[in-house]
Structures are given as structure tokens and as C-alpha cells.
Amino acid sequence: MSDSRPFDVEAIRRDFPILEREIRGKPLVFLDTAASAQKPQVVLDAIQDFYTSGYANIHRGIYQLSAEATRRFEAAREVVQRFLGAADAREIVFVRNTTEAINLVARTWGEENLGAGDEIVITAMEHHANIVPWQMLGERRGTVLRVAPIDERGDVLLDEFEALLGEHTKLVAISHVSNALGTINPLAEMIAIAKERGITVLVDGAQAVPHMKVDVAALGCDFYAFSGHKLFGPSGIGVLYGRLPILDAMPPFLGGGEMIESVTFEKSTYAPVPHKFEAGTPDIAGAIGLSPAIHYLEEIGRDRIATHEHALLVHATEALGAIEGLRLIGTARQKAAVVSFVVDGVHAHDVGTVLDQAGIAVRVGHHCAQPLMEIFGVPATVRASFSLYNTHDEVDVLAAAVRDTLEIFR
Amino acid sequence: MDELRDLYQATILDHNKKPRNFGALENADRKADGHNPLCGDKLTVYLELEDDRVVDVAFEGAGCAISTASASLMTERVKGRRIAEIEEDFCRFHELVTSAPDAPVNIGSHGKLAVFSGVREYPMRVKCATLAWHTLRAAIGNRGTTAKTE
């Protein structure tokens, strides 16, 4: 169902108080949402309100305040469940971030189910968070990491991906959207290919959930991970979705309070999911702040956000692509609003500093994807990422500042 | 753009474009690699020593304008100097790039290196400016390890 309400970017910008800031005397042009998103007032209010008038630890107090906090924390879990299309709120595990979610799976499901010679297939565009945990698992268990190649545009080569999946493949761990290139992977197809062979699938959804509707039940993946801070929520809260039977069978992650059923000095038994994976006091305010962030996005409508972002992507690709000496890195067929580029003869760090002087916040560096940078033969890129609060004027400011950079270094 | 000219002064742009003492040093008796994991900058510093004096120095590698120019100007600065003097140079340079942005700069004591005073405004770039110096010190110590800014 299409939503015909006009997209009022100025009204949206007023929801984000930080956008009123000036940087080095210039209005802030925030083009680093792929690293972390700014927070709307509703999120700030929810956190402030919780700490001001609703704070207590959860799941243990007999008193009213603790019961209220517990209810709000668990309500946030249900909001996430609905948001992801999960069948059951118990399939939602609160963690710190995507990185912790993937490490949790490696440390529990991986340790329990994978052994020497078992293969884990990733793609060449993965973030370090979806590479290193599997290498660490390999050091402990002797598993083998296989990498599905990409083409020069930054699209995964599906045939080669499929060819990599064999009798030893036990896990496919892939990003939904590439943080460095913006590539939107053909996830449904890739999951179907893995599932035909009965292979478990984990999806790194950190870059996807802020931009598109995600339905884990329809996708059919076993695990899906994302971070709250990239979704306009607080930093320190993240989500691991796992199918209930798999989570049920997994050993616990960290040991401690909250994750137990009963403890004696001889033996402990563990709480049911999801609490089995949530040892210790969690980021209560983080979960409570994530909930209004999700409501906020749903209220605006992710389809409308995607349309706005795509228009910014097209504009930025044209405006930057027209600059002589600039090379776009990552031109996949389906892209999120991420534009990665290098400028001839000018190091990405110098570009970043010139842009900073113009009030523009971009990410420069290897974007936690060093192997990917090697494939493209560059040490680092400049990455501008666009979101619901960015404007077409900001795209023009960016392009002008990149031209200034070339002017300085000519 | 004026503020940027303070950072990217003509001398820095010139040394970035045409780095001096660039390339491997055949007669080097000490060398060290430097790496800034934050931005991927890598360079190698080569030294030829006679007793405690640097008779020749060179560097090679790839990095941003600040790190390349800093390496280039550093080689000019330290050639012919004694190790103890170089250590003093390093301390002065480090203080220059990490001092408060409004602190006075004594041009006389820094010579050409004073062009890096603009780095003070950009704390994220201090490591770019000091990478070559850290690497030089590693080469002097001949520890054979990679100097890191992190």
C-alpha cells in the first residue's frame, strides 16, 4: 500500500535537535548516519523520562517501580518483535550491538555445532564484525572461512556464492546491506540457496533496518542482528533475532544473574530464552529508548523514507560522479543511500578534513572492511551516507566542498 | 577556506606533492616501518648513521598530505643531526602539534616545522603528523618493530 503523504524533510529535521548545531561556524551537514544515526526528540524524551521518573532494575524487584520498568523493557522487546516480523517475542535477544550479537552466535551456536573442517561462508564485502568472530571460532574449533567474491560494481557473484556451498558448509553469514559500498544483497535469493541445502543462515542487518522493511519470517533466516544506534535509538542496545527452536537448543552466552533458573554451588540451571542470553543488568534505558525510535520510523513510513533516500542517492551519485578525478567505489545495482569515493591524488583523510571545515561530517577510512578495500585497491575511501533528515541542498554542499578539496590540492 | 590554508599551508602541499628524501636508502643501517591503523597510512624510514649522527635519511610509503609532508620535512630537519638533538626535535614537534590552538608558536625554535601548527585545530590529525617521527625513533632504536600511532 503506497503512502501519498508528502515527505516534509524540514519537519523531520526539527525532530532532531542536534541538526541545529554549527560546526566550525557552518551549519552541521551530517552525512555519517551509516556509522551512527542522530536521535529524534522522542528518543531523548523517553530516556530522560525513564531515568527521571521510572528508573529501577528489572526482573527482580517486588516493588511497583521495578514492575513498571520490567513492563517497559519487555514491551520494547515486543515492539522489536513486531518490527522484524518475528513470530514470538522470545526470539528477540537484547545485546549491545550487532558485533555482540554475531559474537554471541559464534560463541554459543558455533561452539556447540561446528567443528574441524566445517565451513562458514561469508561475502567479500563483510564488516570486520562478520569476519573476525568466525576467524576466532576457527582458531578454537578448526572451522574454515570461505569468501564469496564480488564483481567490480560491488555485487556479490551469486553463481560463485552458490558454488561455494557444499556438504561441509554449516553456516552462511552475510550482510543485508554493505556498510562500505551500500550494496543491497539479494538476500531472499541467497537465503533460499542456503536453505535448499539445509544450511543455517545469519544476517548482519545493521545497515538494512534503518532503510527498508525487514521481515525475518518471510526471509527465512535463522539469525538476524542489528544495532539500535544506527536505527536512531540509543547506543549500547542491539538485537539478535534467532528462531525459537535454535535459541532454545543453544547453550547460554555469559553467565551471571538474570540468565539462571536456579543456582547451587554444584550446578546451575538456566533461564528460558531470551533471558538465558541476557546475563546481568541489561541496557534498560537503551531498550526503552529504542522503542520510540522504531515507532518514529514506522510513523513516517519506511517506504517513504526509502524513496527520499533513493532520491538523495541518485542526486549525490550524479553530483559527485560529475567531478573530474573522483572515482565512486561501489556502484551495485541495488544500493542503500551510501556513496563511497576516492579523489585522485588526495588521501581520504585530507578530503575528510576539508569537508569537516565546511561543517560536513563524513566517514573516512577503511570502514572496518579492510579486505574489501584491498579488493578495490584503495587504502581508504570517503563515505557519505544519507538518511531521512538529509536534504538535496546538503548534497550540493558536499559536492561543492569536494570541488574545493581538489582546488586546494591541485 | 582560509582556515584550511592554515592547515594545508603551501609548504605542506609542496612537500606532499614532491616529497624530499623519498625512496629506499641503499646504505641504510637502520630502518623501521610505521603504521597508522586508523587511516591505513604506512611508511618506512631508513637511516644511515655514523656514531650518533644521522648522515643520511629517507622514507617511502603512502599516506595523507599531513603525514607525507611531515615525513618529508622531518628528513630535511634531522639530516646531519645527532640522536640526542633529534630526540629534542621530536619533543618540541610533539608539543607543537598537541598544544592548545591559541598557544603562541615560537617560529624560531621550530623552523620550517612550524607549518604544522595548524594541526592543533584538528586533534584527529595529530597522529598523521607524528607517524614519521615515531617511526624515526623506532629506526634509531632499531627495535625492528613496526611503530604504531595507536
Side-chain angles (χ1 to χ4, degrees), chain A residues 24 26 345 347 349-354 356-357 364-366 370 379-380 404-405 407-410, chain B residues 1 3-5 7-8 13 16-17 37-41 63-66 121-125 128:
Chain A
R24 300 182 190 275
K26 314 267 178 18
H347 191 282
H349 261 63
D350 295 317
V351 179
T353 293
V354 179
D356 178 38
Q357 190 61 51
V364 297
H366 51 61
Q370 285 178 358
D404 284 348
T405 312
E407 183 72 21
I408 290 169
F409 286 91
R410 193 165 52 186
Chain B
M1 299 250 284
E3 305 91 333
L4 277 168
R5 299 284 183 201
L7 177 62
Y8 294 110
L13 295 173
N16 175 47
K17 206 165 241 181
L38 187 71
C39 55
D41 286 0
C64 64
I66 303 296
E121 295 273 1
Y122 301 86
M124 307 298 283
R125 306 303 302 277
C128 309

Side-chain angles (χ1 to χ4, degrees), chain A residues 8 91 182 245 294 325 348 361 393 401:
Chain A
D8 185 351
E91 297 181 314
I294 289 173
D393 285 348

Side-chain angles (χ1 to χ4, degrees), chain A residues 23-24 26 29 31 341 348-364 382-384 397-405, chain B residues 4:
Chain A
I23 300 291
R24 300 182 190 275
K26 314 267 178 18
V29 175
L31 303 181
F341 60 92
H349 261 63
D350 295 317
V351 179
T353 293
V354 179
L355 298 187
D356 178 38
Q357 190 61 51
I360 304 168
V362 292
R363 174 89 188 264
V364 297
V382 183
R383 182 190 69 186
V397 170
L398 170 67
V402 172
R403 288 181 196 279
D404 284 348
T405 312
Chain B
L4 277 168

Side-chain angles (χ1 to χ4, degrees), chain A residues 33-89:
Chain A
T33 300
S36 201
Q38 297 299 347
K39 317 305 174 199
Q41 189 67 49
V42 287
V43 170
L44 306 177
D45 287 347
I47 297 166
Q48 170 87 3
D49 172 67
F50 176 59
Y51 278 126
T52 306
S53 60
Y55 185 77
N57 210 333
I58 55 170
H59 291 139
R60 49 202 85 168
I62 194 75
Y63 49 92
Q64 182 182 339
L65 207 52
S66 174
E68 281 176 16
T70 303
R71 189 182 48 72
R72 289 169 77 175
F73 183 80
E74 290 303 326
R77 197 187 304 277
E78 286 166 20
V79 168
V80 173
Q81 173 212 340
R82 207 173 24 74
F83 179 70
L84 284 182
D88 192 307

Side-chain angles (χ1 to χ4, degrees), chain B residues 27-92:
Chain B
N27 299 322
D29 38 32
R30 295 190 192 185
K31 71 166 200 168
D33 297 321
H35 181 213
N36 182 350
L38 187 71
C39 55
D41 286 0
K42 281 181 181 163
L43 57 81
T44 304
V45 171
Y46 302 88
L47 282 179
E48 191 185 337
L49 289 173
E50 267 179 28
D51 300 325
D52 67 338
R53 192 181 292 279
V54 172
V55 292
D56 206 357
V57 55
F59 81 102
E60 61 182 352
C64 64
I66 303 296
S67 77
T68 303
S70 178
S72 173
L73 282 153
M74 177 190 78
T75 58
E76 287 192 333
R77 171 75 170 198
V78 303
K79 202 181 277 192
R81 283 171 79 78
R82 294 177 186 282
I83 286 170
E85 294 170 334
I86 291 170
E87 193 59 26
E88 284 171 23
D89 288 341
F90 168 76
C91 292
R92 263 201 301 273

